[in-house]
Amino acid sequence: MTPNPESAFWALIHPYTGDTAGTPHASRGDFSDFTAVLECEKGPFFIKAMRNRPGGRRDSIIREKLINPFVQSISPALLWTTEDEEWIALGFEVVNGRRPDFQPDSPDLPVIVDLLHQIGELDLPDIARDWHETRWDRFTSDETEATLFRGDALLHADINHTNLLIGERAWAVDWGWPTRGAAFIDPAMLVIQLVAAGHSPQSAESWVARCKGWASADPRAIDAFAAAKTRMWWQLAWQRPDRPARKALAEAAEAWANYRGVTVT
């Protein structure tokens, strides 16, 4: 599929956008079929759309639609949704921001850590109570380790520099797969990102130590998560050797696990 969908898609969203001003800069990501900032009669809007097919992508965009009312304190508001047999489309407010810099000397680090703290302070809404975090279970050594990832925190669960924006304030975007799990998981995901950006594991952990979910975590749970993420990233790196970022994250996760005294097999 080309990034710009067929005319039926534009007819679907036209009641919400009105006439468009020029051709939008559209793209297709790993987990979406269409994304664009659309300058239009009733906008602008950031539009995210998926093909309306059963499976993970449809489930993801439905979750993003359902969770938005509960995360608008730190995420752009969902302003409208529409769907037909072919498409599901979400129209968000447009926010101005840039991707953060995770390098050791970056002035963005306190801002990002504060944003993670805000995510950790969000209440778990009823809609998310059955969204248990299980995606790393298959990378654990046994079922006992997997239970360490359970909890009652609302997780963004995809913390990386593409899903965080800094402008006049900080935003967490792309809530494509929010889950219910242990509160340390979002900060732990940032640890790996920081190590990949040049931090030592000790430095990375010192930053996320400011997050309540991390400070109260069982060290065994963090150890198990570091091992699981190492196994996951190496598997993804081996599957796609053409994506060097995956190898960098695998090496970062392994360095972190080694720092914690965890041997990953």
Side-chain angles (χ1 to χ4, degrees):
M1 188 197 75
T2 59
N4 290 306
E6 62 274 6
S7 59
F9 173 81
W10 300 108
L12 174 67
I13 68 172
H14 186 268
Y16 303 91
T17 64
D19 294 337
T20 61
T23 303
H25 178 67
S27 65
R28 177 178 180 176
D30 287 344
F31 301 105
S32 61
D33 290 316
F34 176 85
T35 59
V37 173
L38 188 64
E39 298 290 344
C40 55
E41 184 180 358
K42 299 180 181 181
F45 302 107
F46 173 76
I47 297 177
K48 183 176 184 178
M50 304 281 193
R51 292 286 185 176
N52 199 351
R53 304 285 188 268
R57 289 192 177 197
R58 184 183 190 281
D59 293 346
S60 174
I61 202 168
I62 292 298
R63 281 202 187 191
E64 189 163 6
K65 169 185 173 180
L66 293 174
I67 202 63
N68 184 264
F70 305 99
V71 300
Q72 289 183 8
S73 61
I74 55 171
S75 184
L78 177 62
L79 302 176
W80 53 263
T81 70
T82 185
E83 67 177 285
D84 60 13
E85 292 183 353
E86 289 296 320
W87 288 94
I88 301 176
L90 309 182
F92 294 90
E93 69 172 319
V94 174
V95 297
N96 295 317
R98 57 174 175 80
R99 293 175 177 178
D101 178 0
F102 285 167
Q103 294 183 88
D105 60 350
S106 171
D108 295 342
L109 295 174
V111 178
I112 294 305
V113 170
D114 181 65
L115 180 59
L116 256 67
H117 179 74
Q118 292 178 61
I119 294 174
E121 291 293 309
L122 293 172
D123 292 330
L124 179 73
D126 289 341
I127 193 68
R129 291 200 173 274
D130 292 332
W131 298 348
H132 297 286
E133 182 52 73
T134 60
R135 80 192 75 187
W136 296 292
D137 289 9
R138 64 192 178 100
F139 297 105
T140 59
S141 298
D142 53 47
E143 292 182 2
T144 301
E145 283 191 352
T147 64
L148 297 173
F149 304 159
R150 308 293 182 263
D152 292 324
L154 175 64
L155 304 177
H156 181 284
D158 193 13
I159 300 298
N160 63 72
H161 78 289
T162 67
N163 290 338
L164 307 173
L165 295 175
I166 296 180
E168 293 183 358
R169 51 167 297 182
W171 305 90
V173 300
D174 196 4
W175 287 77
W177 207 256
T179 53
R180 173 187 180 182
F184 76 87
I185 288 178
D186 279 346
M189 297 186 79
L190 181 62
V191 168
I192 297 172
Q193 296 288 326
L194 294 182
V195 174
H199 292 254
S200 68
Q202 181 180 18
S203 169
E205 286 197 355
S206 72
W207 279 104
V208 302
R210 309 177 191 195
C211 299
K212 184 171 66 174
W214 178 274
S216 61
D218 183 342
R220 297 176 304 152
I222 299 176
D223 290 348
F225 188 76
K229 290 292 284 185
T230 299
R231 297 184 188 104
M232 184 206 78
W233 277 118
W234 275 120
Q235 182 181 100
L236 293 174
W238 293 328
Q239 289 173 349
R240 293 295 302 268
D242 58 319
R243 295 193 174 186
R246 293 187 177 187
K247 183 174 183 288
L249 288 167
E251 291 172 342
E254 187 169 15
W256 177 39
N258 290 342
Y259 165 75
R260 295 190 63 85
V262 177
T263 301
V264 182
T265 58

